[in-house]
């Protein structure tokens, strides 16, 4: 072998060293962050994570979210949500959909669940926290495209007898009712879970109840209200004159009894309250009130709806209250939190009856043939096109348009200077889809200009949750000056209008232990949060004395205390000379005391597809459109200018039942 010179060896060494340095620089450059701050880490390289199981946590909507994430060297194997207390039902899809998408796509670039953005962000942050502990490049994972993005499948074409569009309370009621008539049903829902706005509501259901109401004590304030009704003039009630006349006879018979200690109610009183509550004048000067046949159907079938729901597994408590804006103690509540009892029970009933439920499936157009609605086209979240033919009928139950600010502003004919950025209690899916589809096939729109503002929305989110209060008769509203400013037992539009005039459009609902039912701070509220968690994050304020509470919410102490003392005298006398409150709970005196900050938000859109008492959708001439039915907030005609609190749940289940049965019976 030829021997190499010293000079040759040195040159070879220098060349080799240079190559090593160059490769090193290339490697360093590859690992460094780019100038825009995005990581250049190769996510397909080996050893992306330190194998093991890691815990992570972050703040959700109402609670701390805790997760357990298991990884191997180069993949996310599983994600387990070990603790969360966000709103039950509303946030449920977050904790199933997002972990599945992350594991499937091996990425944190996952969309939030519609209508639950805060919970979605909290869960994603908790998972990111765990992955960071596993050594992951979290920033890179947030920008990484899914390994396998959703790909549209072969078009789906199906035929059934009844198609229901919308998986909230009205849609599920229609599906169950149609199934009870023996019809084959397919229900489609554009969200990843059932429930719609129903599951976000408090679940309050108004109905005359001959079983529970006679067990409730009557009071002098309510007796005085009945006496006031005796002074009403029939000639001022139009088509409701005969109903008022009948009601007066019922009231006289009741007052003539020796014992008037038990609560009085009747379908006719419910009708008159609904008529009075809904009769309003628009900004254009036109008056509106509920269609008689719809109001009558609601009131006379309310108790039957309760019995039907009970027959399908829904439990109701024995208590009767007055939800905000209901005008009378006829409000029922399910024994399960929020409206989960309704949704869970009806889903089971529909499935048992053979209904097929298709989630993540958004209806896009009604199919018309020879003047009849015979089906719908739809699109699934992965882009798959769906065509559903219905041999008997289509039930539209897609809800209102409260989460569509453009539609709200376009149609508003009631609220002067309505803020286009006002928040809503609604799910983000309440965008008016069914109204648009119905109008395209000739449906008449009724009462579109009347939008209900919920006076008691959560200031940051607009949601109903995040606070505590008792039945409407127990509630006390004070502004930032520490003073009452309205009759808390009034209709919701009255309450909202008054709240909008207060400083910062904000007020506080004041409660004590009696009004709240003497809970422990570890107990859960109707919204699924514990009292203590709400106190900890200052969603509610708790004071051992009225003075303490006033200081916490920043209102003048002396003014506030005097105001509460004065209110207690009104309770004693069953008379409110300032604002005319007609019904009272107990005095505010049992510590601790609570204050919930609130502000108005869009809650319910009264207008929609005009229907008749058979839930048939009507055209501009008042004639039913063959094969087309509707129920719930997508419809117009019942609530008119203002909906009574608690009437919507009665509406969706009563007319949902009717719509399903009508569609199933169609030939």
């Amino acid at each position: 072998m030829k021997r190499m010179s010293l000079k040759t060896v040195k040159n070879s060494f220098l060349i080799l060293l240079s190559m090593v340095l160059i490769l090193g620089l290339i490697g360093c450059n590859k690992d460094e962050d780019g100038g825009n701050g995005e990581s250049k880490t190769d996510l397909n390289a080996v050893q992306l994570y330190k194998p093991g199981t890691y815990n992570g946590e972050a703040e959700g909507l109402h609670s701390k979210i805790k997760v357990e994430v298991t990884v191997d060297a180069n993949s996310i194997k599983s994600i387990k949500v070990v603790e969360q207390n966000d709103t039950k039902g509303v946030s449920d899809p977050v904790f199933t959909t997002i972990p599945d998408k992350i594991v499937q796509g091996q990425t944190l670039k996952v969309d939030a669940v519609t209508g639950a953005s805060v919970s979605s962000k909290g869960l994603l942050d908790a998972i990111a926290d765990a992955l960071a502990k596993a050594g992951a490049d979290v920033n890179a994972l947030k920008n990484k495209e899914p390994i396998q993005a959703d790909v549209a499948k072969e078009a789906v074409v199906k035929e059934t007898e009844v198609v229901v569009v919308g998986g909230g309370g009205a849609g599920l009621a229609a599906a169950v009712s149609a199934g009870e008539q023996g019809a084959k049903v397919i229900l489609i829902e554009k969200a990843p879970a059932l429930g719609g706005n129903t599951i976000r509501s408090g679940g309050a259901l108004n109905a005359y109840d001959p079983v529970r109401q006679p067990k409730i004590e009557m009071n002098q304030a309510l007796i005085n209200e009945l006496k006031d009704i005796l002074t009403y003039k029939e000639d001022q009630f139009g088509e409701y004159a005969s109903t008022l006349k009948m009601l007066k006879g019922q009231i006289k018979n009741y007052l003539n009894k020796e014992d008037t200690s038990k609560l009085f109610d009747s379908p006719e009183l419910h009708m008159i309250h609904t008529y009075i509550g809904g009769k309003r004048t628009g900004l254009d000067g036109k008056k509106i009130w509920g269609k008689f046949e719809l109001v009558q159907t609601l009131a006379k079938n309310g108790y039957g709806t309760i019995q039907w729901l009970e027959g399908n597994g829904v439990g109701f408590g024995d208590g009767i209250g007055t939800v905000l804006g209901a005008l009378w103690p006829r409000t029922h509540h399910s024994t399960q939190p929020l409206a989960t009892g309704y949704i869970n029970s009806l889903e089971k009933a529909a499935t048992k009856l053979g209904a097929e439920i298709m989630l993540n499936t958004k209806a896009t157009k009604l199919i018309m043939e020879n003047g009849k609605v015979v089906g719908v086209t739809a699109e699934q979240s992965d882009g798959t096109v769906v065509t559903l033919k219905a041999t008997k009928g289509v039930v539209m139950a897609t809800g209102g348009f409260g989460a569509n600010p453009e539609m709200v502003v376009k149609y508003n004919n009631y609220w002067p200077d309505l803020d286009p950025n006002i928040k809503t209690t609604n799910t983000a899916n309440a965008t008016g889809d069914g109204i648009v589809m119905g109008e395209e096939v000739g449906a008449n729109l009724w009462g579109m200009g009347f939008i209900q503002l919920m006076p008691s929305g959560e200031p940051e989110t607009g949601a109903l949750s995040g606070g505590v209060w008792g039945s409407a008769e127990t509630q006390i509203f004070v502004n930032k000056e520490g003073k009452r400013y309205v009759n808390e037992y009034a209709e919701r539009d009255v309450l909202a209008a008054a709240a909008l005039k207060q400083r910062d459009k904000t007020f506080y609902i004041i409660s004590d232990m009696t009004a709240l039912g003497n809970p422990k701070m570890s107990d859960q509220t109707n919204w699924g949060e514990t009292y203590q968690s709400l106190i900890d994050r200052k969603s509610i304020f708790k004071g051992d004395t009225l003075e303490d509470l006033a200081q916490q919410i920043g209102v003048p102490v002396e003014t506030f205390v005097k105001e509460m003392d004065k209110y207690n005298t009104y309770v004693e006398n069953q008379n409110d000379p300032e604002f005319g409150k007609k019904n009272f709970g107990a005095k505010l005196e049992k510590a601790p005391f609570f204050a919930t900050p609130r502000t108005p938000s869009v809650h319910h859109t009264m207008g929609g597809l005009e229907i008749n008492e058979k839930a048939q959708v009507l055209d501009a001439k008042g004639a039913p459109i063959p094969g087309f039915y509707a129920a719930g907030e997508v419809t117009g005609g019942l609530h008119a200018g203002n909906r009574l609190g608690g009437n919507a749940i009665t509406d969706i289940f009563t007319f949902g039942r009717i719509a399903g049965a009508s569609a199933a019976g169609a030939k």
Side-chain angles (χ1 to χ4, degrees):
M1 180 181 293
K2 187 177 179 180
R3 296 182 66 182
M4 297 177 64
S5 68
L6 180 60
K7 182 178 182 180
T8 301
V9 171
K10 286 183 177 180
N11 289 340
S12 299
F13 176 76
L14 290 173
I15 292 171
L16 179 61
L17 179 61
S18 298
M19 291 179 65
V20 170
L21 290 172
I22 291 170
L23 289 172
L25 288 172
I26 292 173
C28 290
N29 187 58
K30 184 176 181 180
D31 290 339
E32 285 177 353
D33 288 348
N36 60 4
E38 294 182 0
S39 173
K40 302 299 182 182
T41 303
D42 182 2
L43 291 177
N44 294 315
V46 179
Q47 198 65 39
L48 294 177
Y49 313 103
K50 293 179 287 186
T53 298
Y54 300 87
N55 295 319
E57 63 180 53
E59 288 296 327
L61 178 60
H62 298 310
S63 65
K64 192 174 290 295
I65 298 171
K66 297 182 180 181
V67 299
E68 190 177 85
V69 180
T70 300
V71 298
D72 62 16
N74 57 10
S75 66
I76 303 168
K77 305 302 292 183
S78 67
I79 298 171
K80 181 181 179 181
V81 180
V82 295
E83 183 179 321
Q84 64 87 12
N85 195 33
D86 278 14
T87 308
K88 189 174 182 181
V90 178
S91 299
D92 287 353
V94 170
F95 302 103
T96 54
T97 303
I98 288 180
D100 288 346
K101 286 187 175 182
I102 290 174
V103 173
Q104 182 181 18
Q106 294 297 305
T107 176
L108 289 176
K109 192 175 183 179
V110 173
D111 290 336
V113 173
T114 303
S117 58
V118 178
S119 295
S120 297
K121 183 180 184 304
L123 177 58
L124 284 166
D125 288 347
I127 295 169
D129 180 43
L131 289 172
K133 294 173 182 175
D137 186 332
V138 171
N139 190 44
L141 282 170
K142 289 180 178 179
N143 290 283
K144 179 180 180 289
E145 294 298 325
I147 288 176
Q148 184 177 358
D150 289 338
V151 178
K153 306 178 187 68
E154 184 178 350
V156 175
V157 179
K158 296 185 179 185
E159 182 175 286
T160 189
E161 291 179 311
V162 175
V163 172
V164 178
V165 184
L172 283 169
V176 173
S177 180
E180 289 173 338
Q181 301 300 313
K184 295 179 180 178
V185 179
I186 295 178
L187 181 150
I188 62 174
E189 164 59 45
K190 73 177 181 179
L194 297 172
N197 264 348
T198 306
I199 208 164
R200 299 172 71 87
S201 73
L205 187 158
N206 285 347
Y208 158 70
D209 187 332
V211 175
R212 294 175 179 84
Q213 283 180 307
K215 300 175 184 177
I216 305 300
E217 295 295 323
M218 192 68 165
N219 62 46
Q220 189 58 49
L222 293 176
I223 289 177
N224 292 341
E225 185 172 349
L226 293 180
K227 291 178 178 178
D228 286 343
I229 292 174
L230 295 177
T231 68
Y232 294 173
K233 305 296 183 183
E234 279 89 341
D235 59 7
Q236 297 177 3
F237 280 73
E239 59 191 333
Y240 288 81
S242 60
T243 303
L244 177 59
K245 184 177 181 180
M246 183 181 298
L247 174 59
K248 284 184 174 182
Q250 295 169 349
I251 293 173
K252 289 176 182 177
N253 288 338
Y254 172 80
L255 294 177
N256 287 334
K257 291 181 179 179
E258 291 185 8
D259 183 9
T260 57
S261 63
K262 300 302 179 184
L263 180 65
F264 169 87
D265 198 8
S266 71
E268 288 72 27
L269 180 57
H270 193 182
M271 287 179 66
I272 292 300
H273 280 147
T274 302
Y275 166 74
I276 292 172
K279 187 176 181 181
R280 294 292 185 271
T281 302
L283 296 175
D284 58 4
K286 294 181 179 178
K287 295 185 182 299
I288 189 172
W289 56 85
K291 293 175 63 176
F292 180 83
E293 66 273 17
L294 299 184
V295 173
Q296 183 180 55
T297 300
L298 178 86
K300 290 189 177 293
N301 288 279
Y303 184 63
T305 293
I306 288 175
Q307 292 177 305
W308 179 78
L309 288 167
E310 289 175 325
N312 280 294
V314 178
F316 286 93
D318 290 332
I320 298 291
T322 314
V323 72
L324 189 70
L327 300 185
W328 196 259
R330 60 171 67 95
T331 304
H332 301 67
H333 286 280
S334 167
T335 53
Q336 292 177 266
L338 299 173
T340 55
Y342 300 126
I343 300 302
N344 294 341
S345 296
L346 292 180
E347 179 185 6
K348 290 178 183 177
T351 303
K352 186 176 181 180
L353 288 165
E356 179 181 354
I357 296 174
M358 301 174 67
L359 301 176
N360 293 306
T361 305
K362 178 183 177 181
T364 55
K365 195 176 186 66
L366 289 164
I367 302 171
M368 291 283 286
E369 291 180 4
N370 301 318
K372 180 181 179 180
V373 175
V374 296
V376 298
T377 59
E379 184 176 300
Q380 295 185 323
S381 57
D382 62 3
T384 300
V385 175
V386 177
T387 301
L388 302 176
K389 286 294 194 76
T391 59
K392 290 191 172 184
V394 172
V395 178
M396 191 65 72
T398 51
F401 55 95
N404 186 333
E406 290 79 14
M407 281 185 76
V408 168
V409 172
K410 172 185 175 182
Y411 286 108
N412 172 47
N413 184 35
Y414 190 60
W415 297 98
D417 304 318
L418 183 66
D419 182 356
N421 298 312
I422 189 171
K423 294 179 173 64
T424 179
T425 64
N426 289 196
T427 166
N429 289 314
T431 52
D433 303 356
I435 294 172
V436 174
M437 286 185 279
E439 191 176 21
E440 288 174 349
V441 298
N444 190 50
L445 303 188
W446 200 99
M448 289 292 289
F450 293 86
I451 290 104
Q452 181 173 83
L453 302 185
M454 170 59 76
S456 52
E458 203 278 327
E460 294 298 321
T461 66
L464 288 171
S465 57
V468 295
W469 51 83
S471 188
E473 65 272 11
T474 72
Q475 294 179 28
I476 307 171
F477 293 179
V478 300
N479 56 24
K480 288 192 170 183
E481 284 68 50
K483 297 180 70 67
R484 285 181 71 224
Y485 59 90
V486 72
N487 163 21
E488 298 90 346
Y489 208 69
E491 299 95 321
R492 287 178 173 175
D493 60 336
V494 174
L495 298 173
L500 290 173
K501 295 177 182 177
Q502 306 311 307
R503 179 156 58 97
D504 298 330
K505 302 177 182 178
T506 299
F507 66 97
Y508 298 91
I509 303 177
I510 309 300
S511 311
D512 69 354
M513 289 294 281
T514 300
L516 299 181
N518 300 302
K520 297 177 182 177
M521 295 303 98
S522 59
D523 289 346
Q524 287 193 343
T525 72
N526 288 336
W527 307 104
E529 315 121 319
T530 66
Y531 287 83
Q532 191 59 53
S533 67
L534 292 172
I535 294 166
D536 290 343
R537 69 168 193 269
K538 298 190 183 303
S539 286
I540 63 173
F541 297 88
K542 170 178 168 282
D544 293 328
T545 65
L546 289 174
E547 290 82 358
D548 179 22
L549 187 65
Q551 289 178 342
Q552 289 191 48
I553 63 178
V555 302
V557 174
E558 185 177 353
T559 299
F560 177 73
V561 173
K562 285 183 178 179
E563 199 74 359
M564 297 304 98
D565 289 343
K566 182 171 60 175
Y567 179 82
N568 282 340
T569 67
Y570 297 165
V571 175
E572 288 178 0
N573 299 325
Q574 294 286 286
N575 179 48
D576 176 6
E578 282 188 289
F579 302 105
K581 190 169 185 176
K582 295 183 177 181
N583 191 18
F584 303 88
K587 290 196 292 185
L588 185 85
E589 56 186 3
K590 186 174 181 180
F593 304 97
F594 302 85
T596 297
R598 297 280 107 171
T599 191
S601 57
V602 172
H603 184 55
H604 193 99
T605 50
M606 264 72 70
L609 308 176
E610 184 178 9
I611 61 170
N612 60 18
E613 68 275 19
K614 296 179 181 179
Q616 295 171 299
V617 178
L618 308 179
D619 63 19
K621 296 181 180 179
I625 298 174
F628 194 20
Y629 307 85
E633 197 174 346
V634 74
T635 68
L638 172 60
H639 306 295
N642 173 70
R643 178 178 64 77
L644 295 189
N647 269 11
I649 298 296
T650 319
D651 170 17
I652 62 175
F653 294 131
T654 298
F655 283 96
R657 289 175 62 204
I658 293 170
S662 294
K667 296 181 180 180

